Amino acid sequence: MATDYGEANYPAFYRAEQYDGGKWYIPSIYELNALYQNKAAINAALKKLNSIDSSTYLTEELRGYYWSSSQMDSSDYYAWLLRFSSGDVYYYNKNSVNSVLFVQASNY
């Protein structure tokens, strides 16, 4: 039986894929952790780009838990997420409600 990867079963994945011509995606747990570890440097670089407004910064408002696209190897029911206030990595049941941080894809 084919899996339905549409909005009903995977709403975050669907919205990332549909937004702005498919230029966005849900990062892996390793990418989320790299964002957390380097958020000061990322913000400093963004501030140098005058055309980018402050809504694009990795602000202190990112305090909650954010889903990654990484599923646990040993279970179809759990995925990895990162707590942006501390950088801690956890796995949770996919039925849990948490935020998603989309990242713009790069071809560089």
Side-chain angles (χ1 to χ4, degrees):
M1 179 177 195
T3 302
D4 177 13
Y5 293 107
E7 185 173 15
N9 290 331
Y10 301 93
F13 174 81
Y14 179 82
R15 291 189 194 268
E17 188 177 62
Q18 299 300 312
Y19 184 74
D20 195 23
K23 297 177 185 173
W24 298 82
Y25 69 98
I26 301 169
S28 72
I29 194 61
Y30 300 104
E31 291 169 312
L32 271 180
N33 193 28
L35 286 171
Y36 173 79
Q37 296 295 328
N38 295 290
K39 68 181 174 180
I42 291 167
N43 285 340
L46 289 172
K47 285 180 183 180
K48 290 182 180 181
L49 300 172
N50 294 330
S51 62
I52 296 180
D53 64 55
S54 63
S55 67
T56 61
Y57 298 156
L58 296 173
T59 66
E60 292 303 315
E61 292 154 5
L62 293 174
R63 294 181 189 270
Y65 296 88
Y66 287 81
W67 285 114
S68 74
S69 62
S70 303
Q71 178 175 292
M72 277 190 70
D73 289 340
S74 60
S75 174
D76 291 341
Y77 301 104
Y78 291 88
W80 293 97
L81 43 84
L82 181 124
R83 185 175 186 186
F84 244 93
S85 62
S86 64
D88 294 332
V89 175
Y90 302 93
Y91 62 89
Y92 273 51
N93 188 296
K94 291 180 186 178
N95 290 332
S96 301
V97 176
N98 291 293
S99 299
V100 176
L101 180 68
F102 294 150
V103 174
Q104 189 170 15
S106 173
N107 292 327
Y108 301 107

